[in-house]
Amino acid sequence: METGFRKWIIVVTIITATIIELIDTTIVNVSINTMSGNLGAALEDTAWVITSYAIANVIVIPMTSFLAEKIGRKQYYIGSILLFTLASALCGFSNNLWELVAFRFLQGIGGGALLSTSQAILFETFPAKEKATASGIFSLGVIIGPSIGPVMGGYIVDNLSWQWIFYVNIPIGLLAAILSYIYLKPTKRSSNKRSIDWFGIFLLAVGVGSLQVVLERGQTDDWFSAGYIVVLTILSVLSLATLIWWELRIEFPVINLRVLKSTTLSISAIMTFILGFGLFSAVFVFPLYTQRIVGYSAFQTGSMLLPGTMMAALLSPFLGKMMQSGIRPQYLIILGFTLSAVFGYMMSGSNLETGSAYFFIPLICRGLGAALLIVPLTALAVSELKPADIPQGAALNNMMRQMGGSFGIALINTYIAHRAAANRTSLVSHVTASDPLTIARQKSYIANFMAHGATYLHAVQQSVGALENMVVRQTFLLSYMDAFLLLAILNACCIPLVILTIKKRTAAKGGKVEIPDAH
């Protein structure tokens, strides 16, 4: 436990490291087109820049507790920051796509360690009575990181070059490493001479890595039509099933799955998975909709996400204090899912004429909903664990959020593609040579093109193209609206689940959430 100036320097350092790790999960998304052109690579191949980082993240996160114990938490944390920073520099220096993919994987290994280790350090820094406040502060990074990534990425790509999305991490990473070295308490390696669970590490890497590739690349390669997707799916199922059996069987596992005996942690992990699904899916779908359909730039899109993010950031520390004062986390979680459902429902009602003013209220709901879910779920997940089990519980919870995000993006992407096919079929059935509205619209197009100098024959050809463009825009508009409505339904369905499954014993007397020390 720390006090005074030292405590708040540690807080700033930890939050900064968390934010730069999570920014890098989304900052690249808006730069893919530019990277593809500059590196002379196909857009589908360039997507591996995102995939490799996500794979490394999800492999490392559940191992962080084990590695921190073996190496020493302070040493592991600083080493991870330095690895992340070095890999960021190497990404910027990359001369070809596959160099960049390899260095992004390395960056993901360093970055994945920062989430759970940051959370454990924060819980150790605050006294037991302020643990919920620590959860609120940690949630700042979780909320802010993915939301400001597209803003930063859009601004950097518009004004500098794509390499700078990696270079900006270098001074921040070095500063975080120096402050961590100065202010974090020294931690010793575990004196326990237990053997390293190499087989568990292998199964985890193969199982989670294969699953992540399937989720990230499935839609692009038409799922099980691609042979390698089938092979990796089978490999993932077998590896993860064997991993669960092996980790529960041996004395010193790399992932201590026994902590899931805590009903609170198990339920929180399920809710956190759903939270990750909605949080990352919304950040994925909204930029696609505004850039492809409405016509906003990457920077404009990112800027619209900022007010909701800032509201969430302001609310997060107070949520911790509210839970500490006696408000039950279940109530906050229900309100969070309700606001997230309102966001999806309101977004599903927008159209091609919708202006940026309309998006303000639903995006505020999204931001506040995320804060109301992340803070109580983060606190609740580890509230019943023994001090020694908190790092492992936090790691599993963080992994569930990242996995939820991967599942969410993959499923939403597939859902949009399927709805696009269905919506196009429905629209095209009304655009026929005998339909009066179609005839009238085509005549107006022809007259407009001829007024601008086109011949009649050329104007007819242009009118057909204009009708096709209209159908395409309407098709994708309806598909994105369907996706937003799906998010609303998923969030609404979670509300009765919270009521039914989160038991009274998840809170201590008076409804307070008490989180034990992580010493």
Side-chain angles (χ1 to χ4, degrees):
M1 185 181 76
E2 303 289 349
T3 56
F5 176 76
R6 186 186 187 98
K7 178 171 84 170
W8 291 108
I9 283 289
I10 291 173
V11 167
V12 171
T13 304
I14 297 303
I15 293 303
T16 302
T18 303
I19 287 174
I20 62 170
E21 196 282 328
L22 285 168
I23 280 175
D24 270 66
T25 62
T26 56
I27 195 171
V28 174
N29 295 21
V30 296
S31 316
I32 287 294
N33 283 333
T34 307
M35 288 180 183
S36 177
N38 288 355
L39 295 170
L43 195 60
E44 287 185 2
D45 290 337
T46 312
W48 279 101
V49 175
I50 299 171
T51 305
S52 60
Y53 186 84
I55 291 170
N57 251 217
V58 179
I59 290 172
V60 168
I61 286 173
M63 294 169 54
T64 51
S65 173
F66 169 79
L67 293 171
E69 186 181 333
K70 274 290 177 187
I71 301 170
R73 186 183 295 160
K74 179 178 179 178
Q75 297 91 312
Y76 179 52
Y77 189 66
I78 294 172
S80 296
I81 294 174
L82 291 175
L83 177 60
F84 179 86
T85 306
L86 174 63
S88 296
L90 293 173
C91 285
F93 296 144
S94 299
N95 294 314
N96 61 66
L97 175 64
W98 300 113
E99 269 186 28
L100 179 57
V101 169
F103 292 138
R104 274 284 281 177
F105 186 83
L106 198 63
Q107 188 189 37
I109 290 174
L114 300 182
L115 273 181
S116 301
T117 314
S118 293
Q119 190 175 355
I121 291 171
L122 266 184
F123 284 155
E124 193 175 69
T125 302
F126 282 77
K129 65 180 180 179
E130 295 179 7
K131 288 298 188 287
T133 302
S135 293
I137 292 171
F138 175 74
S139 300
L140 285 175
V142 176
I143 295 166
I144 292 172
S147 298
I148 67 172
V151 188
M152 286 184 62
Y155 181 81
I156 290 169
V157 169
D158 288 347
N159 295 280
L160 298 166
S161 66
W162 65 264
Q163 286 89 346
W164 280 95
I165 66 176
F166 299 112
Y167 293 153
V168 292
N169 292 330
I170 298 172
I172 300 171
L174 290 175
L175 179 62
I178 291 167
L179 291 175
S180 298
Y181 179 77
I182 295 170
Y183 290 103
L184 289 185
K185 281 183 178 179
T187 49
K188 296 179 181 179
R189 298 180 186 182
S190 173
S191 57
N192 194 331
K193 298 297 182 181
R194 70 185 197 183
S195 58
I196 296 175
D197 179 17
W198 291 112
F199 186 54
I201 293 172
F202 170 76
L203 289 172
L204 175 68
V206 172
V208 173
S210 300
L211 178 61
Q212 215 36 39
V213 173
V214 169
L215 291 173
E216 297 275 348
R217 305 294 296 170
Q219 174 59 33
T220 304
D221 294 329
D222 197 22
W223 294 103
F224 299 112
S225 298
Y228 84 97
I229 293 290
V230 175
V231 171
L232 289 180
T233 302
I234 295 169
L235 188 61
S236 175
V237 170
L238 292 175
S239 298
L240 292 176
T242 308
L243 175 69
I244 293 169
W245 170 77
W246 177 257
E247 297 299 276
L248 292 174
R249 177 177 172 271
I250 65 171
E251 187 179 359
F252 300 117
V254 67
I255 308 173
N256 183 13
L257 296 176
R258 296 177 183 90
V259 297
L260 291 173
K261 288 179 181 177
S262 164
T263 307
T264 304
L265 176 59
S266 300
I267 293 170
S268 297
I270 294 168
M271 294 296 170
T272 301
F273 180 88
I274 296 167
L275 162 66
F277 189 110
L279 186 68
F280 285 94
S281 295
V283 175
F284 173 76
V285 175
F286 181 75
L288 283 179
Y289 166 59
T290 53
Q291 291 177 52
R292 292 185 179 182
I293 305 301
V294 184
Y296 291 162
S297 69
F299 182 67
Q300 286 175 312
T301 300
S303 298
M304 284 192 292
L305 291 168
L306 275 182
T309 304
M310 292 302 104
M311 290 284 285
L314 290 172
L315 180 64
S316 292
F318 294 103
L319 290 175
K321 291 184 180 295
M322 288 165 66
M323 286 189 291
Q324 208 64 57
S325 69
I327 293 179
R328 298 219 21 190
Q330 291 93 325
Y331 301 147
L332 299 177
I333 293 168
I334 289 169
L335 182 57
F337 278 126
T338 301
L339 287 173
S340 297
V342 169
F343 159 75
Y345 180 75
M346 289 187 70
M347 287 301 302
S348 71
S350 55
N351 55 55
L352 294 175
E353 306 303 319
T354 300
S356 58
Y358 178 85
F359 298 133
F360 182 78
I361 297 298
L363 288 174
I364 291 291
C365 288
R366 188 199 78 86
L368 294 178
L372 286 161
L373 288 170
I374 292 171
V375 178
L377 282 173
T378 301
L380 200 61
V382 296
S383 62
E384 287 187 353
L385 298 181
K386 296 175 183 176
D389 291 335
I390 287 178
Q392 183 67 72
L396 285 171
N397 205 47
N398 284 319
M399 184 187 77
M400 291 301 286
R401 184 175 55 251
Q402 298 300 99
M403 289 293 289
S406 295
F407 270 89
I409 289 171
L411 292 177
I412 283 289
N413 209 10
T414 303
Y415 182 72
I416 289 171
H418 282 286
R419 291 305 304 157
N423 288 328
R424 179 177 175 81
T425 301
S426 176
L427 288 171
V428 167
S429 68
H430 296 286
V431 183
T432 62
S434 59
D435 178 57
L437 290 176
T438 303
I439 294 168
R441 186 167 293 247
Q442 187 173 20
K443 283 181 178 178
S444 71
Y445 284 149
I446 291 170
N448 181 56
F449 291 133
M450 289 181 70
H452 286 82
T455 64
Y456 177 76
L457 185 60
H458 193 207
V460 170
Q461 292 173 337
Q462 287 179 307
S463 71
V464 172
L467 286 171
E468 169 63 16
N469 288 338
M470 180 187 68
V471 169
V472 168
R473 286 192 75 198
Q474 289 289 345
T475 295
F476 281 101
L477 170 68
L478 292 172
S479 302
Y480 287 123
M481 297 308 98
D482 290 340
F484 284 123
L485 188 58
L486 176 65
L487 290 178
I489 292 168
L490 286 174
N491 281 290
C493 287
C494 290
I495 295 171
L497 188 62
V498 180
I499 297 169
L500 290 171
T501 57
I502 299 186
K503 299 179 181 179
K504 289 184 179 179
R505 67 188 182 86
T506 58
K509 289 181 181 179
K512 295 181 182 179
V513 173
E514 295 182 359
I515 304 172
D517 266 324
H519 292 299

